[in-house]
Amino acid sequence: MNERKSVTAATLLRAKQRGEKTAWLTAYDAVSAKIAEAAGIDVLLVGDSLGMALLGMETTLPVGLDQMLHHTAAVVRGRQHAWVVCDLPFGTYQKSPEQAFDTSVRVLQETGCDAVKLEGGEPMALTIRFLSERGIAVVAHIGLTPQSVKRFGSYRKRGRDDAERTGLLKDARAVAEAGAVAVVLENVPEYLAAEITQTVAIPTVGIGAGAGCDAQVLVWHDLLGISEENPPFAPAYANVRQVMSDAISRWAEDVHQGNFPT
Ligand code: KIV
């Protein structure tokens, strides 16, 4: 019998309090969820990065709610113990707390996942409070927020000057006070992520934010070396793209030569 306990928001908070790190990884289907969980991943994030990682989109903006529901339900079917978080896609929560609530209810009811993630700091605090007070576990995402790429014009690092540094500290405090159960810090300087981690009581989850965060998250395709190009902060731990390509090309060659089936 597998004695592993299910991960919850409380587990993640306790891990922070004990100084234990947790490992988050994106997953978009049931098979990946099973592999990741068996390999020791604590949290499976169904990121809207699936638009780029899986669906050939240039940004996360075209990702729709139906796509998130489809992939999140698959991840939930594949997991046993990991905590599953679903990204709320662009345009499905920014209009009002009520809109965010309606979207979150669909996500939780139709997929069985554990939490929703939304992008934005202080301006989203009201929405985070609205959801939290109604029993929804919310993960906030600050720093580089990919859904705002058209507003900022690039995916550059955030928090490099004094104004941005102060703004990010305010954002982190605001989302924590509003009831977020964790906060993703994307592409912010290491010293600032460490300062935020010391400042807020909730777990911080770093991606391109240095070693001082309570947890780390990477995109599946980057970690496994499937992406054509990785961001500088995301080292590939394998070259799965090459492994797949070699297997497929050997098989195609065998078919073309009439050597398959043997
Ligand atoms: O969409 C995503 O995969 C994310 C992670 C990069 C944090 O938001």
Side-chain angles (χ1 to χ4, degrees), residues 24-28 45-53 60 68 87 117 119 140-141 144-147 184-186 205-207 217-220 222 233:
W24 298 39
L25 183 61
T26 68
Y28 312 112
L45 168 64
V46 190
D48 57 0
S49 53
L50 67 82
M52 286 120 102
T60 57
M68 294 308 300
D87 261 351
K117 176 164 85 58
E119 295 185 8
H141 180 155
L144 168 58
T145 45
Q147 291 178 9
V184 171
L185 308 177
E186 180 164 353
V205 187
I207 176 160
V217 61
L218 281 181
V219 168
W220 177 271
D222 292 341
F233 53 75

Side-chain angles (χ1 to χ4, degrees), residues 115-132:
V116 298
K117 176 164 85 58
L118 55 80
E119 295 185 8
E122 202 177 20
M124 293 308 297
L126 199 66
T127 295
I128 293 171
R129 185 176 299 285
F130 191 88
L131 299 181
S132 302

